[in-house]
Amino acid sequence: MREHAPEGPLREVLSALLATRPRVILRTSPHQGGQPHLGVIAAQHDRLADDDTSMGSSTAARRVGLQPHQAAVAARARQFAEALGLPPRVIDSVTRAALWHDEGKRDPRFQIMLWGGNRAAADIAEQPLAKSGIAPSDRAAFVRARTAAGYPDGMRHESLSARIAAARLTGDHDIHSDLVIHLVASHHGHARPLLPPVVDPRPTKVTVDDLGPFDTADTIDWQQPHRFSQLNDAYGRWGLALLETIVRLADIWCSARNETIEDKP
């Protein structure tokens, strides 16, 4: 089966799945005389996880720094966009979104979570993390880390990431700002048009470089539905979905391989 898949992520995913020991679950029905009639094959692998959950988007086989991860995702996103022959302004916008997609992980509570709930380790770390080093299959460890860190259950780092991206875009006319903000907000499949409306019960201030503090109480961007509608008009439904896919796939690609900027193609 894997030999017939095209080169690239699909073949990699199939290879990883086939390398696991699958569990075959046989379910019976009283209407079928108790005979097994349905088989479900389930496989779990430490390199694979759902990227649309907080756990899946932040766990990996080893710890990965935020800046090296974002730089690698930006390089891959540009590579994919150029291969598709997209216009230069769109390529630059996609690349910029990929470069800032995880900025919301700078929240101190998120960093403590990525350090397994170890507040001291997060405080003395030389750089913020993008990936925790917690195995994607170890949900219990992730829940313990999130609880110890005090990061609200269900809150999305993409919300803060999009706000940071918007602040960085001020006065930049060489790229499509609304597209960048949307691609950052939607890079795990949400924000179409809204991120989950989770209220931060204990808001904190997150200081980013020279941009100043960001208040995590502002978790919902009510301009996003209008932005999403306009982008659908500008690029078409399938066109916008394609641009979202480029950023999301670049993130998945680099996360699955622990690829950093040092591994830039």
Side-chain angles (χ1 to χ4, degrees):
M1 177 170 57
R2 89 188 90 187
E3 289 76 13
H4 298 290
E7 292 285 350
L10 177 58
R11 180 173 290 190
E12 292 284 340
V13 169
L14 287 174
S15 295
L17 285 172
L18 291 172
T20 63
R21 294 182 179 179
R23 293 181 295 113
V24 180
I25 305 169
L26 295 178
R27 298 177 180 173
T28 63
S29 168
H31 302 294
Q32 298 295 328
Q35 295 300 314
H37 71 284
L38 175 65
V40 177
I41 299 179
Q44 197 166 36
H45 194 277
D46 282 350
R47 287 178 54 193
L48 303 170
D50 295 334
D51 80 308
D52 60 345
T53 64
S54 295
M55 176 182 170
S57 65
S58 302
T59 52
R62 65 178 175 84
R63 295 189 181 103
V64 178
L66 179 62
Q67 286 300 101
H69 169 69
Q70 293 192 121
V73 174
R76 284 294 181 189
R78 175 173 289 277
Q79 180 188 51
F80 296 160
E82 289 176 344
L84 290 169
L86 299 179
R89 186 168 184 254
V90 175
I91 293 175
D92 290 343
S93 299
V94 166
T95 303
R96 198 72 61 88
L99 185 62
W100 297 332
H101 73 284
D102 272 349
E103 285 293 298
K105 292 182 177 181
R106 294 182 184 274
D107 185 320
R109 298 167 298 178
F110 206 100
Q111 287 300 305
I112 295 170
M113 180 173 69
L114 293 182
W115 280 97
N118 189 330
R119 189 176 302 271
D123 287 344
I124 65 174
E126 294 183 359
Q127 63 173 331
L129 293 177
K131 304 294 178 182
S132 65
I134 298 173
S137 58
D138 194 348
R139 177 173 176 77
F142 179 82
V143 171
R144 287 195 300 270
R146 188 193 65 223
T147 302
Y151 193 77
D153 185 16
M155 197 165 85
R156 305 297 311 187
H157 69 273
E158 302 98 286
S159 175
L160 180 57
S161 295
R163 290 172 55 213
I164 294 172
R168 292 191 187 283
L169 286 166
T170 303
D172 193 335
H173 302 294
D174 295 330
I175 59 177
H176 190 169
S177 297
D178 276 352
L179 177 60
V180 173
I181 295 169
H182 172 72
L183 294 179
V184 170
S186 65
H187 78 272
H188 286 307
H190 300 285
R192 313 185 82 247
L194 285 172
L195 286 162
V198 176
V199 176
D200 190 343
R202 291 178 296 278
T204 187
K205 304 288 186 181
V206 180
T207 301
V208 182
D209 300 335
D210 58 342
L211 298 177
F214 292 81
D215 192 337
T216 63
D218 302 324
T219 57
I220 303 175
D221 180 3
W222 294 111
Q223 298 302 314
Q224 176 61 14
H226 178 64
R227 181 184 300 117
F228 181 57
S229 176
Q230 287 193 319
L231 290 171
N232 273 292
D233 290 341
Y235 294 97
R237 293 179 181 178
W238 295 110
L240 182 59
L242 172 64
L243 300 180
E244 294 170 6
T245 301
I246 292 172
V247 176
R248 190 172 183 179
L249 180 58
D251 188 23
I252 293 172
W253 178 289
C254 294
S255 298
R257 296 164 177 75
N258 296 317
E259 187 172 280
T260 63
I261 191 59
E262 289 78 18
D263 303 314
K264 180 180 176 180

